[in-house]
Each structure stands twice: as structure tokens, then as C-alpha cells.
Amino acid sequence: MATITAFILIGTADQNHSGIIPTHYIALYEGDHPSLSLYKFDNSKEIIRIKPAVEKLVDNIYLLIHTFILKAEVNSINTLNGKEIHNLYNDRRKKITYEQIMENLKTYDLKVVFNILAGSTLLNQLDRIKDYPNDFEVTTPEFRKEYNNRTGKVEFIEF
């Protein structure tokens, strides 16, 4: 069973109070194989779900942001069915390089907030997040208190 191991908020930075004014979010589900689901904040409707390569999670997150949010493809989503949405994503993936995405990101007022939970594969890819030129924040676990079903005890872990 897949569990959510990270939430990624996408929007613009609030210049007066820090933080973010979100428009979309991505949920990272992990289990047998990771998947990324992109949602719109105003209706929580899933726009697309993809199965990224584990070693390219950050790059695939930014490809989703670039293809469906920044390049306004999301506006035509309501007229597309699921297969057409995936074809659009796969066509974009074949045509665009991550260097082009990074270059394009410089022209947008974009902030991405990565809220990463313990056990997430993204914890091993924090340096890749730093490579992207947009505004970002990353939150990682400081400590965790959780009941362990196997031991029957509550465990407190500091990272």
C-alpha cells in the first residue's frame, strides 16, 4: 500500500510575510514504486499521476510544474481525457531537457515548498533541489513520535 511521503506546494512567494501563496500541490506516494500526483488547490482535483524514475524524482517534479502549471497546459486539461493528458506529459518529456526547464524557470515568479517526511526517497535528493533556480523551501524531519505496531511501543526518534 502506498503512503504519502512528501507534499510539494507550488505557487508564488508572499513577499510581505514570507511563506507561499499556493495554487497547486504534488503528493509523492511511495510503496512498491513511487508515483507523483499533481492537484489544483481550489478543487483538489487530480490533474495527472505519473510513475517517475526513483533517481529522477526532483527532475520529474519540476517537469510536472513546467508542463502543467507554468506552460498553461493545465488550462486545457478539462477538455482532455486521462490518456491524452499522459500523452501530453510524455511528449513534453521527450522534447524538453532539464536544462531548458531550469532556464525557463528563471522567467517565472515561482516558489516551491518541499515538505518531506521521514523515509521519503526525496531525503536522498536534497542536493538536486538546490540546483533549480526558483525560490524554494525544504522542510525535513527534526524528530518523530510514532506508535510501532511490531513492538507495541511508542518510539521517539530525533534526526
Side-chain angles (χ1 to χ4, degrees), residues 11-110:
T12 57
D14 182 341
Q15 299 302 325
N16 295 321
H17 305 289
S18 195
I20 186 171
I21 303 167
T23 58
H24 296 79
Y25 64 95
I26 296 172
L28 169 59
Y29 295 88
E30 294 190 78
D32 294 339
H33 195 279
S35 69
L36 295 167
S37 291
L38 173 65
Y39 300 89
K40 213 171 170 186
F41 242 100
D42 60 0
N43 63 10
S44 295
K45 180 180 175 188
E46 183 178 80
I47 297 170
I48 186 172
R49 180 180 292 217
I50 63 161
K51 292 188 178 191
V54 174
E55 65 279 355
K56 295 263 186 195
L57 280 175
V58 174
D59 294 330
N60 276 264
I61 288 166
Y62 276 101
L63 181 59
L64 281 175
I65 293 168
H66 185 269
T67 301
F68 291 101
I69 300 170
L70 301 181
K71 289 300 182 182
E73 308 296 351
V74 74
N75 294 332
S76 64
I77 293 300
N78 294 332
T79 62
L80 300 177
N81 63 37
K83 185 176 180 181
E84 291 169 327
I85 291 170
H86 279 278
N87 287 341
L88 173 66
Y89 172 77
N90 288 328
D91 287 345
R92 286 279 183 191
R93 190 174 61 183
K94 291 175 192 169
K95 292 178 185 172
I96 195 163
T97 66
Y98 292 103
E99 289 74 24
Q100 289 172 305
I101 290 173
M102 284 191 209
E103 197 59 37
N104 290 343
L105 287 175
K106 293 176 185 176
T107 64
Y108 290 96
D109 180 18
L110 174 71

Side-chain angles (χ1 to χ4, degrees), residues 117-118 141-149 151 153-159:
L117 302 176
E142 180 71 26
F143 47 84
R144 176 180 74 191
K145 179 180 157 188
E146 201 169 61
Y147 178 76
N148 185 326
N149 283 329
T151 64
K153 297 179 182 177
V154 174
E155 297 175 349
F156 182 82
I157 301 169
E158 290 193 55
F159 297 94

